[in-house]
């Protein structure tokens, strides 16, 4: 009838309430423009392309005359975005992390499960979530995407990375011997200590029993340039590339700093550098992906009606040799069966990984606050997964073997119940048959 109509209220409906937050993010209420999370990253595709308009010359009554010079532009909805997330696992992961945060009295607990060959993120969760349509003042800290925006000194989680750089460059072999000095070693003016007091040990035991002293000595074999090149090759000091906005890249020492034996040593056991959760997950995936670095992804495809457009993924990059990757897989396996990661071991599942416990620096000083981590892999004959978990400032216990490791195990057990990974049934003690502990090797 010639009236001009404009919408004055926009509503985004979030049917899963706090589930998938802060990953999904939220939109501005007056325009549905994405502010953070996936809503921000894919805003240009999710938004409608244009409003419906009718243009032309009006008659004396104000009506548009439909003729050759008039035109109609119809409204086009935005694309639907297909995610890699498995919703049942995502929901269970969120519930698990919330329970552990409460039990450990932690500031936050984060975890993710990635398909090692494709880089697809199957679940990525935080214990700290919010409801997008009802954000309260107490929810504001939870809006931050901790997986990419919380940067921290990784502690012993970094040891396998540095060890693999040494291996790949021919600087050591796993069975070489090195002195643990009984758990106390002086380098210049710095005293380095170990929780596990070791004497003469094999080089691989620096990972299995998490020896700062052994790593401090081994790291001196790397020139400053190749040390930095190796860390950057694994993706540190640069964004992980995951399809989420506002990622913090962290940092590593400068070339001049890395020429110092102290910097070489401290970085080898995870201090003097900073990384985010996703960078560490991406780096550990190299071991479970035949030495190839792959970019983690959440978005798989865009849909417009019945048409599906696959989102292009970056190509994998060979960072270390397949042989080095396989050697690291074996060492990380021993770390679970013999060393600091025993609480992640599940009979019949190929699990390997590394614990990390690191001081948190506040006001320029290390204080009695800690981050606890476990990153590793869980495989069976058909599946390969890279899994990571970080516990920020737990109060009841801070050792990763008591905090992050049990969370890792719980995640794998839930995946087993969902048929994502094969966990053999427990042996029937009422019969003479029993499970031997053997299982198919990953090809």
């Amino acid at each position: 009838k010639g009236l001009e109509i404009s919408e004055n209220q926009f509503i985004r409906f979030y049917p899963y309430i706090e589930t998938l937050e802060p990953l999904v993010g939220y939109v501005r209420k007056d325009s549905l423009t994405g502010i953070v999370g996936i809503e921000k990253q894919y805003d240009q595709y999710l938004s409608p392309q244009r409003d419906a308009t009718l243009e032309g010359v009006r008659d004396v009554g104000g009506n548009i005359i439909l003729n050759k010079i008039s035109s109609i532009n119809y409204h086009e909805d935005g694309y639907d975005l297909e995610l890699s997330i498995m919703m049942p696992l995502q929901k269970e992961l969120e519930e698990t992390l919330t329970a552990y945060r409460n039990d450990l009295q932690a500031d936050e607990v984060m975890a993710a499960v990635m398909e090692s060959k494709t880089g697809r993120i199957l679940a990525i969760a935080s214990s700290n979530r919010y409801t997008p349509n009802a954000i309260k003042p107490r929810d504001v800290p939870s809006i931050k995407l901790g997986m990419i925006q919380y940067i921290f000194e990784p502690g012993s989680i970094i040891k396998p990375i540095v060890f693999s750089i040494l291996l790949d460059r021919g600087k050591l072999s796993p069975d070489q011997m090195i002195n643990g000095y009984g758990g106390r070693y002086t380098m210049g003016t710095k005293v380095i200590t170990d929780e596990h007091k070791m004497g003469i040990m094999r080089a691989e035991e620096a990972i299995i029993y998490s020896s700062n002293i052994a790593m401090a000595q081994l790291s001196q074999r790397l020139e400053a340039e190749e040390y930095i090149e190796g860390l950057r090759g694994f993706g540190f000091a640069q964004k992980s590339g995951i399809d989420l906005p506002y990622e913090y890249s962290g940092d590593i020492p400068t070339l001049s700093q890395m020429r110092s034996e102290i910097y070489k040593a401290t970085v080898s056991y995870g201090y003097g550098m900073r990384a985010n959760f996703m960078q560490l997950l991406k780096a550990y995936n190299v071991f479970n992906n035949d030495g190839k670095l792959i970019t983690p992804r959440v978005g798989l495809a865009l849909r417009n009606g019945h048409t599906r457009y696959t989102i292009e993924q970056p190509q994998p990059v060979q960072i270390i040799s397949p042989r080095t990757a396989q050697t690291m897989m074996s060492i990380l396996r021993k770390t679970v069966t013999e060393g600091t990661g025993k609480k992640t071991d599940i009979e019949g599942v190929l699990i390997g990984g590394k614990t990390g416990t690191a001081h948190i620096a506040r006001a320029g000083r290390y204080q009695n606050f800690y981050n606890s981590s476990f990153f590793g892999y869980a495989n069976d004959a058909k599946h390969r997964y890279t899994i990571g978990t970080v516990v920020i400032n737990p109060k009841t216990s801070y050792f990763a073997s008591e905090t992050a490791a049990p969370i890792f195990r719980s995640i794998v057990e839930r995946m087993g119940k969902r048929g994502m990974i094969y966990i053999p049934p427990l042996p029937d003690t009422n019969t003479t048959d029993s499970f031997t502990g053997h299982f198919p090797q990953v090809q």
Side-chain angles (χ1 to χ4, degrees), residues 265-284:
T266 54
V267 168
S268 75
Y269 48 85
Y271 288 94
M273 64 169 289
R274 295 183 300 170
N276 67 45
F277 176 98
M278 193 53 59
Q279 289 171 324
L280 290 165
L281 190 73
K282 178 180 178 179
Y284 264 75

Side-chain angles (χ1 to χ4, degrees), residues 100-120:
Y100 273 101
R101 180 199 62 193
N102 296 338
D103 289 344
L104 297 171
Q105 299 175 30
D107 292 348
E108 184 176 6
V109 185
M110 298 178 288
V113 178
M114 182 164 73
E115 199 172 62
S116 300
K117 286 297 182 183
T118 65
R120 293 180 179 181

